[in-house]
Amino acid sequence: MWLSNNVTEFILLGLTQDPFRKKILFVVFLLFYMGTLLGNLLIIATIKTSQALGSPMYFFLFYLSLSDTCFSTTIAPRTIVDSLMKEASISFSECIIQVFTFHFFGCLEIFILILMAVDRYVAICKPLHYMTIMSHRVCGMLVAMAWVGSCVHSLVQIFLALSLPFCGPNKIDHYFCDLQPLLKLACSDTYMINLLLVSNSGAICTVSFLMLMVSYVIILRSLRNHSAEGKRKALSTCVSHIIVVILFFGPCIFIYTRPATTFPMDKMIATFYSIGTPLLNPLIYTLRNAEVKNAMKNLWRKKLISDDRK
């Protein structure tokens, strides 16, 4: 049973109210978002068109880039437009949709990172059975489970958001809708809601991070029995994954595992994992992966050849 709400729209206070700083944010966010789209869509196109990138690792990388693109798109375009406005507003229904999509694609990214760790574990620790265990059918089922799990998590967020009564204050001290800033506007005791939030989002972030770190410790320990070339290649891949995991999970754990308190730095930290990390992921994976770089070069050559023929 939902409590009645008198609020039909919210005012987003953003990162700053200073007109000059808002113009700077417009440029920065626009450049970051364009870079995110370019980098991730390039990876998606490269994996889709290259026969050399048909292994399960690149199958999961495809979905990581897809989730990065969608994750950034749930926040960046509106933030870019809002930075040009004197007062940014968002309707109640749009706010709820943003909460759902933000958590859906954020959670999907977490699950894809876990699947990538599983893939590396099987490839390094059980190489003889790799193609049997990580078959196309199994990989497809794992990704489907990740989508279903993300949907369940997001529906829980919606359930919590809709159970909050809003009867007056409508200024969200943030640049997008999320449960933490919404909790501050609710005109009822939010202790239980906050507890459920921490046990849901906080637990997913923390448990997933610990699982990933343990899995990579096991993987790195198992490399002692590999050849020098095998160690080099496996280390290059694993280090890329570990960097992405730390960059994404560090800020998420800080935000979602605390009681109902907010700090001035929260918005800047949220900016890092919602805008910055989706931009850094393609850079990390392409700069440290020779196969992806070679596939991109081949894709570029094919484009040049086709353009010359025209």
Side-chain angles (χ1 to χ4, degrees), residues 40 57 59 78 92 157 163-164 169 181 190 222 229 251 261 264 307:
N40 284 292
M57 179 175 76
F59 177 77
R78 173 173 279 278
F92 183 84
Q157 301 298 304
S163 65
L164 293 171
T190 59
S222 70
E229 177 63 21
T261 54
D307 289 344

Side-chain angles (χ1 to χ4, degrees), residues 149-306:
S150 301
C151 188
V152 171
H153 164 72
S154 300
L155 288 174
V156 171
Q157 301 298 304
I158 295 301
F159 177 86
L160 295 176
L162 291 177
S163 65
L164 293 171
F166 302 104
C167 52
N170 70 334
K171 291 185 177 180
I172 299 177
D173 188 16
H174 216 301
Y175 63 95
F176 65 90
C177 282
D178 202 3
L179 272 178
Q180 278 88 349
L182 286 175
L183 284 171
K184 295 178 67 177
L185 302 182
C187 44
S188 69
D189 182 25
T190 59
Y191 175 80
M192 284 304 299
I193 300 292
N194 185 70
L195 196 63
L196 291 170
L197 173 63
V198 171
S199 62
N200 183 14
S201 298
I204 287 176
C205 292
T206 306
V207 173
S208 299
F209 178 72
L210 292 175
M211 284 173 56
L212 287 165
M213 288 297 100
V214 169
S215 68
Y216 282 116
V217 168
I218 295 171
I219 290 169
L220 294 174
R221 281 178 60 110
S222 70
L223 289 177
R224 292 177 299 181
N225 303 323
H226 287 65
S227 63
E229 177 63 21
K231 284 181 182 179
R232 186 195 64 77
K233 189 174 180 180
L235 273 173
S236 177
T237 303
C238 289
V239 167
S240 298
H241 292 193
I242 291 170
I243 292 171
V244 169
V245 166
I246 292 173
L247 289 176
F248 184 77
F249 281 92
C252 287
I253 290 172
F254 178 81
I255 294 291
Y256 291 108
T257 56
R258 298 198 322 255
T261 54
T262 56
F263 299 116
M265 68 182 77
D266 285 358
K267 288 189 282 187
M268 292 307 300
I269 292 173
T271 303
F272 183 78
Y273 72 78
S274 65
I275 306 294
T277 306
L279 172 67
L280 293 174
N281 283 356
L283 293 175
I284 292 168
Y285 280 110
T286 52
L287 291 176
R288 299 187 61 87
N289 193 306
E291 290 179 331
V292 174
K293 285 190 286 186
N294 290 333
M296 285 182 176
K297 289 176 184 176
N298 292 333
L299 181 64
W300 183 250
R301 288 195 197 102
K302 288 178 182 178
K303 185 182 183 306
L304 290 176
I305 291 170
S306 64

